[in-house]
Amino acid sequence: DCDTHKILDSNKAAEELFGYRHDEMLGKMPDDFSPPCQPDGSSSQAKAAEKIARLIHEGHQFFDWTHQRKDGTLFQAEVHLTLISLDGNEALLAVVRDVTQRKYAEMALVNALAEAESSRDKIDAILKAISDGLIVVDSDLRVVLINETAQKWLGLVEGEAIDQAVSEVLPGSIVPFLNGVVTAGSSQTRHCNIEVPAEGDGYNRFLAVQVTSIKDSEKSTSGTLVLLRDITRERELDLLKNEFISSAAHELNTPLTVIMGFAELLVNREYRQSISLEQQQEFLETIREKGEVLTSIVDDLLKLEQLEFGQSIHLDYGYFDLQLDILSLVKQYEETYTDHRFTVETSPCEISADR
């Protein structure tokens, strides 16, 4: 009734929805089927009167409402209010539809999307925090995920690698390698090295590649995880180490030759008797000096081994004139290689370093 707002009639579906008999429904007010307040905190009675007033002045109304059944349980509903003519009088027709399950589904979807967004943010944060390059490839060998580091190392514009064939992102030689991991029946990890141009740096970058198959819930290979690690510096250090070892081997040979030469002379009794004690003492001093050189070279090799295993070494810093060391070194070579002429231009140069 538009004047009293009392229920004049109801159908069976409404009676089952609210849990009342037909005679119980008659004469009730709209707020009798509602909790004291709506979810926004407003009074159900006042808000119902507002909706009816708007219906009379503006026409049909469509809105969400929280209703209450006879047993006190609440449910979400969509309400459609329309003015109709009943026995020559104007009446209000209310169509109520229970949408509780749909609202729950919508809420679950919103939560799921929020969680997905949060998970994506977490993944993005993790990808940005990883210093190594990371690429995820699907079973068709197409890129589905790549982090900023990998894009930088491979000279890619952000986002252009997504959905591209991995052969367009990584050197073609690695494709058979990836195929072997994808087609393998068991989870495994394989390793290889690749060389890619270092854009703008004028040299090539060496990358260690680790490929691991990704298994789904059914233990089937659903893709491949590719980790890239920049080993350019390590290769440079290996080259330097090999050059140092080669140089050290040569340096070992030089003092050994001198030591063996002077030792053979001193062992020879006839020759020893033919030279003065001062000359013998000079030979012995030379042998001692070359022995110290050998000791120094061996110490350097041992320190190199310590560094290779990540151990720290003690550096004994002190001030000395580098010019004197250079002149002393040149003098040794002049004595050893008498058929060569050495020219040195130096000036005093005091430095602080480990000798």
Side-chain angles (χ1 to χ4, degrees), residues 276-332:
S276 65
L277 291 176
E278 289 78 8
Q279 288 179 306
Q280 293 182 30
Q281 182 63 34
E282 184 179 343
F283 287 177
L284 291 173
E285 186 66 26
T286 301
I287 291 174
R288 185 187 64 79
E289 290 177 358
K290 297 304 179 183
E292 291 178 351
V293 172
L294 283 176
T295 301
S296 176
I297 294 173
V298 171
D299 285 343
D300 288 342
L301 289 173
L302 292 175
K303 289 177 181 178
L304 179 66
E305 184 180 23
Q306 284 181 281
L307 290 174
E308 189 172 7
F309 284 97
Q311 300 175 9
S312 60
I313 60 174
H314 174 69
L315 298 178
D316 187 14
Y317 283 93
Y319 287 94
F320 62 93
D321 190 345
L322 185 60
Q323 178 192 30
L324 299 178
D325 283 47
I326 294 174
L327 294 175
S328 174
L329 182 63
V330 171
K331 183 179 179 181
Q332 294 177 21

Side-chain angles (χ1 to χ4, degrees), residues 80-94:
H80 188 193
L81 299 181
T82 309
L83 288 175
I84 62 172
S85 179
L86 182 64
D87 298 332
N89 297 315
E90 197 171 47
L92 184 156
L93 175 66

Side-chain angles (χ1 to χ4, degrees), residues 4 8 16 20 41 44 73 143 158 168 176 243 264 288 308:
T4 64
L8 300 176
E16 291 178 352
Y20 290 95
S44 294
T73 58
V143 177
E158 185 177 357
E168 299 177 13
E243 290 176 3
E264 287 176 1
R288 185 187 64 79
E308 189 172 7

Side-chain angles (χ1 to χ4, degrees), residues 44-60:
S44 294
Q45 184 179 17
K47 197 164 188 175
E50 176 192 343
K51 295 293 184 183
I52 294 173
R54 295 186 65 176
L55 168 68
I56 295 172
H57 291 91
E58 300 175 8
H60 70 276

Side-chain angles (χ1 to χ4, degrees), residues 244-290:
F244 175 79
I245 292 175
S246 176
S247 176
H250 177 74
E251 293 298 325
L252 282 170
N253 185 61
T254 301
L256 275 175
T257 302
V258 174
I259 291 172
M260 292 299 296
F262 281 109
E264 287 176 1
L265 291 175
L266 293 174
V267 167
N268 188 313
R269 180 179 296 179
E270 292 182 3
Y271 180 81
R272 187 173 68 247
Q273 291 176 349
S274 67
I275 60 176
S276 65
L277 291 176
E278 289 78 8
Q279 288 179 306
Q280 293 182 30
Q281 182 63 34
E282 184 179 343
F283 287 177
L284 291 173
E285 186 66 26
T286 301
I287 291 174
R288 185 187 64 79
E289 290 177 358
K290 297 304 179 183

